[in-house]
Amino acid sequence: MRVRTVALLAPAALALAYALAACGGPEPVAAADAGWTYVGDGACQQCHADLAASFARTGMGRSLSRFDPATAPERFGPDGAGPVVCSDDGWCYQPFVRGDTLFQRETRPDTPGYARVEAADYVVGSGNATRSYLMAAGGAPGADAHGAYLTEMPLTWYVERALWDLSPGYDARSLRFDRPITLDCLTCHDARPGHEPSQNFFTDVPLGISCERCHGPGSAHVAAFEAGGAPSDSRIVNPASLSTDLQLDVCQQCHLTGETVYAPGHDATTYRPGRPLAAHRAVFVSQASLDDPVQFGIASHAERMMRSACFVESAGTGREMTCTTCHDPHTPTAELPADHFNATCASCHGPSAHLDACSRPEATTVELATAGDCVSCHMRTAGTSDIPHVSFTDHWIRRDPPPSRAATSTQTDVRGPTPFTLVDLAGDRRSGPEAEADLAVATFALYETVHPLPAYLPRITRLARAALAAGVERTDVRVALGRALAERDSLAAAREVLAQAAARDPASASAALWLGVVESRRGRHLEAAEALRDAVRLAPRLTEARVRLGTALLDAGRARDAAGVLAEAVAQDPLRHADAWNALGLAHLGLGATADAVSALRRAVALDPRLAVARANLGAALLAAGDPGAARAQLEAALRIDPDERSALGNLGVALGRLGQTAEAREALERLLRLDPTDARARAALAALPR
């Protein structure tokens, strides 16, 4: 892997490195040959009990767990509840414990009586910096064949400042209980989760990083040992015996984050230790973040270390610096000797080098120079650019780094009116058209999730078209191009590109899904339904495709078909998709199943009390059920959220008329006609009111 480095002034001759395992030959292979499978930590523990027990106490070993009130570091009040924390858009959350379960309660001050309570199923994070929480909907991964949809919860416990606050990314806009946990996210906190094609459906969720994440699949090694083989076995990877680049790749499979584009046929779970990370993925970050001497991300350790003179000048010495020069992955940092890191520095620099390198005014002798804390002087600590309330060590080792600073509650938002320039840190996996293809896909991901500037769209279009014209045949590139064209309102061109993607790759649920989305936007609802049926067939757990299929059928006037599809969608993932419950209610209403409509629409409102259209539709259903009083309450609530919701105004006029409140009914209907003078039903309802 070619690494981007910046040389600085400092001596470097590195010596101290940890062996990463008690087994593994001098020339390990990449344990990815056919037939080599994962065996789980239990098989490793039979021979490596001490290492396994020590590793289980590390941050990696505790990266995913169940909530245990006996050992939990979180703090609560005497009543078992934490503080109420609110987002800028009005959602408020409170954590509390009942029995052995952690819950989070959602309320809104502007919606009296509303409360939603959800239980945490998993804890993400070791507790060294943060603990965030996942909830599972639709089942329990590993408990049966069905699995569950995993989403993040709104509150996180920030260990350093001992406080509850919104989870990262929730400060400006609450994602509530709906933020999907993707395969990329879970894989870096877990062994190898079982996952079906979807955003966030998992069939198995192991607890914590496993031995085989760094050592590769263990089946061949275990079989050889059980057959009487020697402990030194090239059928398991010993990262300490790998080249510097490959050692760093083992760490950077998780400790290098950005806009990731996987090589065709790969995903987050398919990297094998011993193989180049650059052959597995491209990882794009902004050039500005690389050039920033102060800001750094929470998973930027190796990339920052590579800028250090210690790293740069160790190249070719035979004692190259890697992550394990300073960190033993099997031993918790808290259990290391107090002088561990100073001793590591001294093992390379030596007493006289310490005196030359140390810039403290009082360091006038070797003894005084070696008595200082090397890390505190040469590796600053600060809050990270992407996670609030945590202090991390910047691994860019410098003679005179910028001053350390405390963790803060918010970070400076570097997004502005100028598009970022993206750089592939995984090492230029490809060049030419393939590199353009990777960059097109990464740039669309950046546009969609982080920095929604329209200025990215022409760039994506140009890169993708150039790659395809040069002979690159990749579905992800065609999908990125089609979606970029759709974002530019070039729907006919987008439809052509996505139809080609679906035709060339008939196994791609993604191509079928986005073709259906574009057809819906073009008003071609039956054509959309055809594409979306393919997406559902190819990825039955992709609930988003099922919801869009139901909506397309509803828009096409196929209420009965829509109701069946939407009922399946909400049965799959009952804790999200308020829009699906709303559409299901509309389908039932169109079929004259008023009671079913009311039930579905009440569920939509319970999931999202701020969904004005769902309240308006619930009001209409209650009106159809002969309950104008209850209808009025829902319709007025809809209008408090959206004063221009026209169906709510019209049905409110009807409800008030039935309640005998003629003046108020007339006011509502006249207000609707001011918004839409062509509304014939409003005119008829107004004319029917008594004078």
Side-chain angles (χ1 to χ4, degrees):
M1 180 179 73
R2 294 187 295 277
V3 294
R4 183 183 184 279
T5 58
V6 180
L8 299 176
L9 296 177
L14 304 174
L16 186 63
Y18 290 103
L20 295 192
C23 56
E27 296 182 356
V29 299
D33 292 357
W36 293 26
T37 58
Y38 290 88
V39 295
D41 286 355
C44 306
Q45 292 165 1
Q46 297 178 53
C47 297
H48 306 291
D50 291 346
L51 282 174
S54 176
F55 176 76
R57 299 193 299 273
T58 67
M60 289 186 291
R62 296 179 290 117
S63 58
L64 192 74
S65 62
R66 298 284 192 176
F67 181 79
D68 180 0
T71 59
E74 294 90 340
R75 296 182 188 174
F76 302 92
D79 59 351
V84 176
V85 181
C86 297
S87 63
D88 291 345
D89 53 357
W91 298 99
C92 296
Y93 301 96
Q94 183 179 35
F96 65 94
V97 173
R98 293 292 181 269
D100 61 356
T101 303
L102 172 70
F103 296 88
Q104 294 188 18
R105 178 188 293 111
E106 178 184 74
T107 56
R108 283 192 68 93
D110 61 1
T111 310
Y114 169 73
R116 178 179 174 185
V117 175
E118 300 292 353
D121 292 285
Y122 297 98
V123 180
V124 176
S126 64
N128 292 336
T130 64
R131 276 163 62 97
S132 296
Y133 311 92
L134 310 183
M135 52 184 278
D144 52 40
H146 299 296
Y149 293 88
L150 297 186
T151 56
E152 185 176 14
M153 303 185 81
L155 291 181
T156 287
W157 172 253
Y158 294 92
V159 177
E160 178 184 343
R161 299 183 68 183
L163 58 79
W164 290 97
D165 203 354
L166 296 167
S167 296
Y170 278 67
D171 48 352
R173 182 178 70 86
S174 174
L175 302 172
R176 306 181 64 223
F177 299 102
D178 295 343
R179 186 180 198 172
I181 296 298
T182 63
L183 183 61
D184 281 26
C185 175
L186 194 63
T187 300
C188 272
H189 291 277
D190 201 0
R192 293 184 76 250
H195 180 261
E196 290 189 16
S198 64
Q199 272 195 307
N200 60 327
F201 186 83
F202 294 90
T203 56
D204 186 33
V205 180
L207 299 180
I209 301 297
S210 67
C211 306
E212 291 166 299
R213 287 298 300 280
C214 299
H215 296 286
S219 63
H221 170 67
V222 171
F225 185 76
E226 290 177 345
S232 181
D233 182 1
S234 64
R235 281 163 287 200
I236 194 73
V237 172
N238 178 357
S241 299
L242 297 172
S243 68
T244 300
D245 284 351
L246 292 179
Q247 283 190 54
L248 291 169
D249 285 350
V250 172
C251 300
Q252 288 190 108
Q253 64 176 301
C254 287
H255 291 278
L256 177 62
T257 57
E259 300 299 338
T260 301
V261 182
Y262 294 101
H266 285 276
D267 62 31
T269 68
T270 60
Y271 170 72
R272 297 293 186 266
R275 286 188 170 182
L277 190 66
H280 181 258
R281 67 184 73 168
V283 181
F284 292 90
V285 301
S286 71
Q287 182 69 55
S289 70
L290 292 177
D291 296 338
D292 195 325
V294 176
Q295 299 273 3
F296 60 95
I298 200 167
S300 63
H301 313 80
E303 182 269 318
R304 300 287 280 189
M305 178 191 71
M306 291 177 195
R307 303 168 183 231
S308 308
C310 293
F311 176 84
V312 174
E313 296 182 16
S314 74
T317 66
R319 297 177 293 183
E320 288 82 3
M321 186 179 195
T322 68
C323 303
T324 55
T325 299
C326 300
H327 296 284
D328 180 354
H330 294 115
T331 304
T333 302
E335 297 179 16
L336 294 172
D339 65 344
H340 167 77
F341 292 109
N342 264 12
T344 304
C345 296
S347 71
C348 298
H349 290 283
S352 60
H354 261 64
L355 182 59
D356 293 339
C358 190
S359 58
R360 291 180 299 124
E362 65 272 22
T364 56
T365 67
V366 170
E367 291 75 15
L368 290 172
T370 56
D373 181 358
C374 305
V375 171
S376 66
C377 285
H378 298 288
M379 299 174 71
R380 65 190 293 268
T381 60
T384 64
S385 61
D386 44 3
I387 307 294
H389 303 309
V390 299
S391 293
F392 263 65
T393 300
D394 185 350
H395 281 59
W396 185 353
I397 307 166
R398 289 173 272 187
R399 186 182 183 95
D400 294 300
S404 295
R405 55 185 172 84
T408 56
S409 58
T410 57
Q411 302 297 324
T412 302
D413 191 345
V414 297
R415 295 172 298 181
T418 303
F420 294 138
T421 298
L422 294 181
V423 178
D424 177 10
L425 282 189
D428 299 328
R429 183 178 77 225
R430 300 180 180 88
S431 60
E434 288 287 358
E436 291 179 316
D438 287 341
L439 185 54
V441 174
T443 304
F444 188 83
L446 176 74
Y447 164 80
E448 182 181 28
T449 62
V450 178
H451 197 201
L453 280 183
Y456 286 114
L457 298 173
R459 179 186 299 181
I460 296 162
T461 304
R462 183 176 65 255
L463 287 166
R465 281 180 167 158
L468 293 168
V472 173
E473 184 50 57
R474 282 172 44 185
T475 304
D476 60 343
V477 178
R478 292 187 187 276
V479 170
L481 174 57
R483 296 187 64 192
L485 290 168
E487 289 289 306
R488 300 175 73 180
D489 289 328
S490 299
L491 294 180
R495 188 265 171 205
E496 180 180 356
V497 169
L498 291 165
Q500 289 178 354
R504 290 171 178 266
D505 187 359
S508 172
S510 176
L513 168 66
W514 292 109
L515 175 58
V517 170
V518 167
E519 292 285 40
S520 287
R521 286 186 57 185
R522 297 177 73 207
R524 296 162 57 92
H525 303 303
L526 289 176
E527 291 82 354
E530 181 180 356
L532 292 165
R533 279 197 185 93
D534 284 340
V536 170
R537 174 179 54 81
L538 293 165
R541 296 295 182 178
L542 185 60
T543 309
E544 292 74 11
R546 206 176 289 270
V547 172
R548 290 182 182 274
L549 172 57
T551 304
L553 289 167
L554 189 61
D555 289 340
R558 303 283 185 85
R560 191 169 302 279
D561 292 339
V565 170
L566 291 164
E568 291 172 346
V570 298
Q572 274 190 339
D573 189 357
L575 299 184
R576 295 193 301 153
H577 303 296
D579 56 336
W581 287 102
N582 175 62
L584 178 58
L586 276 180
H588 284 314
L589 200 57
L591 294 169
T594 306
D596 290 337
V598 169
S599 177
L601 291 163
R602 285 197 187 280
R603 184 61 179 156
V605 169
L607 286 175
D608 188 354
R610 299 289 295 173
L611 188 59
V613 67
R615 286 195 179 272
N617 290 331
L618 177 55
L622 290 166
L623 198 57
D627 191 347
R632 174 184 181 177
Q634 293 297 331
L635 295 165
E636 289 178 339
L639 290 167
R640 285 194 293 271
I641 300 165
D642 181 0
D644 294 334
E645 172 54 57
R646 298 181 187 182
S647 66
L649 277 170
N651 284 318
L652 178 60
V654 174
L656 290 169
R658 292 184 185 178
L659 291 169
Q661 298 178 0
T662 305
E664 293 88 342
R666 187 178 302 280
E667 180 182 349
L669 293 167
E670 288 176 345
R671 183 176 160 196
L672 172 56
L673 287 168
R674 286 195 294 272
L675 291 172
D676 183 4
T678 67
D679 193 321
R681 288 179 296 179
R683 289 196 178 279
L686 184 61
L689 289 175
R691 294 289 179 179

